Amino acid sequence: MDAHLSSAHKVLFLNTLAFTICFACWTLNGVLVTYLVDNNIFNWSVVETGWLLGIPILTGSVMRLPLGILTDKYGGKPVFSTLLLLCSIPMFLLYFAHSYWVYFLLSALFGMIGTGFAVGIAFTSAWYPKQWQGRALGIFGMGNAGAALTTFFAPTLLNYLSAHNPETGWRILPLLYGTTLIIIGLVFIFCVKNKKAAVQNKSTGQLLEPLSKIRVWRFGLYYFLVFGLFVAFSQWLMPYFVSVYNTSLVLGGLLASAFSLPSGIIRAFGGYLSDKFGARKVMYWVLYSSLILSGLLMLPKMEIMTPGKGITAKKAGTVKTVENGRIILNNETFAIHPKPEIPQQTSVLPKSFSWQEVLVKQNEQIQKKQLLAQGVTLIKFEAHIWVFSVLVILIGIMWGIGKAAVYKHIPEYFPNEVGVVGGMVGLIGGLGGFIGPILFGYLLDFSGLWTSSWIFVFLISAISLFWMNHTIKKMTNQTAPHIKDRIEHVNCNKD
C-alpha cells in the first residue's frame, strides 16, 4: 500500500503541475485581451471583449464530458499528454492573429486546454482510495492557482516584451505559453505511469446513465457558482479594476491575482475540511458566505443627489433680504446652510453632505408655504478599492473551499463514474466561466453598473442555497418515518 501511495503521490504532483499550466493558459485572454484593448492595438467593444474572454472557457467546458469518458476508458496518461501537445498548436498560431475572428477561432481551439480538469480529476481519483479522495482532489484542484500565475506575471511580461514595439511585442507571450505546454506534455509522456478506472469495459450508454439523476445537476449548479464564476472573475476583475478604479494594468493584475491565488491554494484545505466535517456542512458555509459577501460587493461606487430638507414660508409676505447665508421674510430670519466642501475621497462607509439653495429674490412677494430654499443632499460612496479587494479575496477563498466540497461528493455517490460525472459537473461549472464575462458585458451595457456582475452572483448564491435547503429538508422528511419504524420495531422485539 505504501508503494502504491508513493506512486499515487508522484502522479498527483505531476497531475497538479500539468493542471496549473493548463489553467494559466486557459485564462490567458483575461490579461492579453485587456492589454490589446487598453493599448488600442485592437478596437474591440465591451461585448466583443466579453466573447473573447468567454470563448476559451466554453470549449474547455463543453469538451470536459467526452474527455472525462476517454480518461475513464483509456487512463489519464495518453489523454492528458495528447491534450497538452495539441493545444500548443493554436497557442503558437496566435502569433499570426491580425483580426477579431482569427483571434476568436484560435482562442476557441486553445481553450480546449480547460478540459485538463476533467482528465486530472478522473486520473487522480483512479489512484487513490476513498479515505484519501477529498485531500487528493483538493490538492489537484490547487492547479486553479494557474489563473493567478497569469494575472500576476503576464502583465509584467507584456510590458517587458512590448517596451520597444507595442504592436508586435505581445505576440511573443503566446509562444512562451505554447512552449510550456510542449514541455509539460513531454514530461507527462516520459514520467507518468498510466492507470485506468474500473469502468473501462462499460458502454458509453452505461457510462452516461448517472447523468439522469438530479443530484448531478444540483452539484453542477454549485460548481457553476464556486468554479464557473471564479473563472469568470479571474478574467473580468482585470478590466474591472482598470475601468472602475483607474489602476494600471500591472496593479490590476496584482489585485486580480490576490483573488485567484488564495482561491486555488485553499482548495486543498477545503478537501481536508470536507473529509473532516462532511461536504454538505462545508457547502452550507460556502453558500451563506457567498450570499453575504456578494451582497456587500453589490454596493456600487456612486454619488446620489437627492432632495433634502428645505425652508418654506410660514405665512405670506415680502422678502426683505437675501444675503450672508440668510433670508429675511417680513420680520422672520431663516438661516441657509451653505454647500460644504466635498472631498474627492470619503470614508469607507457612505457619507452624506447636505446644503440649501435659495429660490427667491429680494422684494419678491411670497405665498404661504412657498419654498424659499431648496434642500439638497449628496450621498457619496467610494467603495474603497482596498475594502473591495478584501471582500473579493474573501469570496474567492470561500469559493475555493466550495470547489473541493463539490468534488468530495462525486466519488462518494458515483465511485465508478468519477470521469463522466466529474466531467458533466465540470462542464456545467465551466459554462459559468464562459457565460460570466459575456453576461457581465451585456449587464454592464444595459445597466451602466459594473456591480451588476455581483448582483448576478447574489442571485445564483440564493438559488443554490434554496435548492440545497429544500433537498436536505426533503431527505430528512423521507428518512424520519423509516427511523421511527425501526425504533418501534426494536421496542416491539424487546417487549
Side-chain angles (χ1 to χ4, degrees):
M1 184 66 181
D2 290 340
H4 178 78
L5 269 181
S6 178
S7 298
H9 293 339
K10 179 183 176 182
V11 171
L12 175 60
F13 170 76
L14 292 175
N15 254 356
T16 305
L17 177 63
F19 178 49
T20 303
I21 301 302
C22 288
F23 216 88
C25 294
W26 203 34
T27 55
L28 173 64
N29 272 3
V31 172
L32 195 51
V33 171
T34 302
Y35 172 83
L36 295 174
V37 172
D38 195 48
N39 288 274
N40 295 315
I41 295 170
F42 292 110
N43 295 315
W44 295 327
S45 68
V46 171
V47 172
E48 286 175 327
T49 299
W51 273 97
L52 286 179
L53 296 183
I55 194 62
I57 311 304
L58 175 64
T59 52
S61 302
V62 169
M63 296 305 294
R64 282 184 172 186
L65 179 58
L67 266 290
I69 293 173
L70 288 175
T71 306
D72 279 344
K73 289 179 73 71
Y74 302 109
K77 178 177 178 175
V79 178
F80 220 155
S81 54
T82 303
L83 176 70
L84 290 162
L85 296 175
L86 286 179
C87 286
S88 68
I89 297 172
M91 195 67 80
F92 284 125
L93 291 177
L94 273 180
Y95 183 88
F96 304 100
H98 289 280
S99 70
Y100 177 80
W101 289 110
V102 171
Y103 199 107
F104 184 93
L105 175 62
L106 294 175
S107 297
L109 292 174
F110 81 69
M112 282 283 293
I113 201 67
T115 59
F117 176 75
V119 178
I121 281 286
F123 195 33
T124 300
S125 182
W127 276 93
Y128 281 94
K130 183 177 179 180
Q131 64 270 24
W132 269 87
Q133 295 282 349
R135 281 166 287 179
L137 297 180
I139 291 169
F140 169 77
M142 288 172 63
N144 287 165
L149 295 179
T150 287
T151 52
F152 187 83
F153 291 110
T156 304
L157 271 173
L158 279 171
N159 286 338
Y160 174 76
L161 296 170
S162 304
H164 300 296
N165 193 344
E167 293 291 330
T168 59
W170 66 269
R171 298 179 185 277
I172 305 297
L173 187 63
L175 298 184
L176 297 176
Y177 273 68
T179 303
T180 307
L181 286 177
I182 288 179
I183 293 171
I184 298 299
L186 294 175
V187 168
F188 229 77
I189 289 174
F190 294 109
C191 300
V192 173
K193 182 180 178 182
N194 196 31
K195 186 173 185 180
K196 301 177 184 179
V199 296
Q200 64 266 29
N201 295 322
K202 287 188 177 183
S203 67
T204 302
Q206 290 173 316
L207 285 171
L208 293 174
E209 189 177 341
L211 302 186
S212 62
K213 298 184 178 180
I214 193 68
R215 180 181 284 122
V216 175
W217 303 95
R218 181 162 53 87
F219 293 164
L221 178 64
Y222 300 160
Y223 209 60
F224 180 95
L225 171 67
V226 298
F227 174 75
L229 296 185
F230 162 77
V231 173
F233 278 103
S234 293
Q235 302 187 84
W236 188 252
L237 281 174
M238 175 75 78
Y240 195 111
F241 279 115
V242 171
S243 300
V244 176
Y245 293 103
N246 299 316
T247 66
S248 66
L249 192 68
V250 172
L251 179 56
L254 288 173
L255 293 172
S257 298
F259 163 76
S260 303
L261 186 60
S263 184
I265 293 174
I266 202 71
R267 188 163 180 165
F269 182 61
Y272 165 77
L273 291 176
S274 299
D275 282 340
K276 185 174 178 63
F277 299 104
R280 182 186 300 169
K281 184 176 288 187
V282 172
M283 277 309 300
Y284 265 122
W285 301 341
V286 169
L287 293 178
Y288 275 115
S289 299
S290 182
L291 190 72
I292 294 168
L293 291 168
S294 60
L296 295 172
L297 287 163
M298 283 193 307
L299 298 175
K301 183 177 181 180
M302 61 185 176
E303 290 185 2
I304 298 177
M305 193 81 75
T306 182
K309 183 180 179 182
I311 300 173
T312 55
K314 296 178 181 178
K315 55 186 178 180
T318 304
V319 176
K320 292 185 177 180
T321 304
V322 180
E323 61 181 9
N324 299 326
R326 61 178 183 166
I327 298 174
I328 300 177
L329 176 63
N330 299 331
N331 294 318
E332 188 174 4
T333 301
F334 300 91
I336 305 298
H337 295 293
K339 184 177 181 178
E341 185 176 345
I342 300 173
Q344 289 293 322
Q345 292 186 332
T346 57
S347 60
V348 172
L349 298 175
K351 192 170 183 180
S352 64
F353 303 87
S354 297
W355 64 92
Q356 293 166 334
E357 297 175 350
V358 176
L359 299 178
V360 295
K361 299 178 181 178
Q362 191 170 340
N363 299 322
E364 184 178 339
Q365 295 295 317
I366 300 301
Q367 303 296 319
K368 185 178 180 180
K369 294 186 178 180
Q370 182 175 333
L371 192 63
L372 304 177
Q374 175 181 285
V376 179
T377 297
L378 173 67
I379 301 173
K380 190 170 183 178
F381 182 47
E382 286 297 319
H384 195 278
I385 185 171
W386 299 115
V387 176
F388 175 83
S389 299
V390 168
L391 292 175
V392 163
I393 291 168
L394 288 176
I395 200 169
I397 288 171
M398 295 311 299
W399 286 350
I401 293 171
K403 283 179 276 188
V406 172
Y407 268 85
K408 169 64 176 175
H409 283 92
I410 294 173
E412 291 184 351
Y413 288 100
F414 307 98
N416 294 321
E417 299 93 1
V418 174
V420 63
V421 176
M424 177 53 77
V425 171
L427 188 159
I428 298 170
L431 286 177
F434 162 67
I435 293 170
I438 298 169
L439 180 63
F440 297 163
Y442 281 114
L443 287 174
L444 175 60
D445 236 18
F446 174 75
S447 67
L449 289 173
W450 276 91
T451 52
S452 56
S453 55
W454 295 111
I455 296 174
F456 180 72
V457 174
F458 182 86
L459 291 174
I460 296 298
S461 301
I463 293 169
S464 300
L465 192 57
F466 173 80
W467 195 359
M468 186 174 188
N469 278 325
H470 175 75
T471 302
I472 302 306
K473 186 176 179 181
K474 186 176 179 181
M475 288 171 59
T476 303
N477 290 339
Q478 288 176 346
T479 305
H482 294 296
I483 296 173
K484 184 178 178 181
D485 290 343
R486 287 178 63 188
I487 293 172
E488 289 177 353
H489 178 71
V490 169
N491 290 336
C492 288
N493 289 338
K494 285 181 179 179
D495 294 339

